[in-house]
């Protein structure tokens, strides 16, 4: 299946990205003044990289990532990814499990900077015990009162 992108220029891409974020907010049906209940024509959606890729006309995430590396589109697609990451980051305060999984898949790390992550990064600590003083007693019988 060939990718059928909906943009030809970087500025068209940015406009579509903005349209995507408006689209996922959903669409409310007009309500009466007496009713405080929200009725949705189209329910709000959480932002995701794959739904953004589909909205932009990509057929796969590989195609999306290829365009993300192109200098011409890097800034717009990077901006979109950052907006999605920000949405996941907000979810950390409400339902963190799925957000943590998604952020790790996007390259986030939950280990402090500089933490050893593999056997090649581990360091060996050599401990040497030296006797400095009387030899400890082996039992209570050896202790003089």
């Amino acid at each position: 299946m060939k990718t059928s992108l909906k943009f030809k220029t970087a500025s068209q891409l940015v406009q579509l990205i903005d349209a995507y974020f408006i689209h996922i907010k959903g669409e409310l049906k007009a309500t009466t003044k007496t009713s405080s209940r929200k009725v949705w024509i189209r329910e709000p959606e959480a932002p995701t990289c794959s739904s953004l890729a589909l909205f932009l006309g990509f057929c796969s995430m590989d195609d999306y990532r290829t365009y993300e590396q192109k200098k011409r589109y890097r800034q717009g697609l990077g901006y979109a990814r950052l907006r999605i990451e920000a949405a996941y980051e907000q979810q950390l305060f409400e339902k963190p499990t799925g957000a943590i999984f998604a952020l790790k898949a996007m390259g986030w790390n939950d280990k402090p900077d500089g933490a050893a992550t593999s056997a090649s990064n581990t360091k060996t600590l050599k401990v040497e015990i030296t006797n400095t003083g009387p030899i400890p007693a082996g039992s209570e019988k050896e202790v003089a009162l």
Side-chain angles (χ1 to χ4, degrees):
M1 180 179 245
K2 188 174 189 247
T3 299
S4 177
L5 300 177
K6 297 178 180 179
F7 59 93
K8 299 261 189 262
T9 66
S11 61
Q12 285 178 329
L13 169 65
V14 172
Q15 288 174 349
L16 277 170
I17 289 169
D18 289 338
Y20 166 77
F21 282 99
I22 290 168
H23 174 79
I24 64 171
K25 287 182 179 181
E27 188 176 345
L28 271 176
K29 184 177 181 179
T31 58
T32 63
K33 290 182 182 182
T34 58
S35 174
S36 61
R37 195 177 116 227
K38 291 183 178 180
V39 179
W40 295 96
I41 295 171
R42 189 174 31 77
E43 293 280 331
E45 304 169 36
T48 66
C49 288
S50 55
S51 66
L52 171 64
L54 287 169
F55 189 87
L56 297 174
F58 289 101
C59 291
S60 71
M61 285 307 295
D62 287 337
D63 289 345
Y64 178 93
R65 283 186 282 274
T66 298
Y67 268 76
E68 205 171 20
Q69 298 305 313
K70 292 183 180 187
K71 186 177 180 182
R72 182 177 184 186
Y73 302 113
R74 185 178 304 144
Q75 186 175 1
L77 292 173
Y79 171 70
R81 182 179 291 274
L82 186 60
R83 286 178 74 175
I84 292 169
E85 286 181 23
Y88 284 130
E89 196 173 4
Q90 285 296 317
Q91 289 178 15
L92 292 173
F93 297 103
E94 300 160 17
K95 301 177 201 167
T97 307
I100 290 169
F101 176 80
L103 288 168
K104 282 184 177 184
M106 296 176 93
W108 283 43
N109 184 356
D110 62 351
K111 293 176 181 49
D113 289 340
T117 57
S118 68
S120 64
N121 289 342
T122 59
K123 298 195 186 294
T124 303
L125 178 64
K126 182 178 178 183
V127 177
E128 187 176 317
I129 299 173
T130 57
N131 290 327
T132 59
I135 299 172
S139 70
E140 288 182 28
K141 292 178 185 176
E142 294 178 16
V143 177
L145 295 174

